[in-house]
Amino acid sequence: MLSDMDMLQDYEKDARMAALAHAIIESDVLDKKLRVLVHKGLEAAMASQEKAATLIMARGDRP
């Protein structure tokens, strides 16, 4: 059975991977409007990952 911390750490990892994927996709996109949209997804994933990592560290663990 997974603890709350296990699930939070898993979410943080997934958000980090989403940010990396968006960054890679953004570098390949040629259409300016689509690039802006992908960048917004990157920013959202980065913000989510940062919040999860901060919460994990506040609980005395590491992401």
Side-chain angles (χ1 to χ4, degrees), residues 1 9 13-14 17 21 24 31 33 35 46 55 60:
M1 182 171 222
Q9 287 175 327
K13 175 190 60 88
D14 291 344
M17 292 296 114
I24 292 168
D31 183 74
K33 289 180 182 179
R35 183 179 282 233
M46 288 174 30
L55 186 56

Side-chain angles (χ1 to χ4, degrees), residues 21-42:
H22 277 85
I24 292 168
I25 293 167
E26 183 181 2
S27 70
D28 286 340
V29 172
L30 299 177
D31 183 74
K32 188 173 182 171
K33 289 180 182 179
L34 182 56
R35 183 179 282 233
V36 168
L37 184 62
V38 172
H39 188 77
K40 287 180 183 179
L42 168 61

Side-chain angles (χ1 to χ4, degrees), residues 5 8-10 12 16 52-63:
M5 182 58 74
L8 184 58
Q9 287 175 327
D10 191 46
E12 185 275 333
R16 187 172 359 112
T54 300
L55 186 56
I56 291 168
M57 290 186 289
R59 302 292 186 264
D61 214 335
R62 45 178 295 165

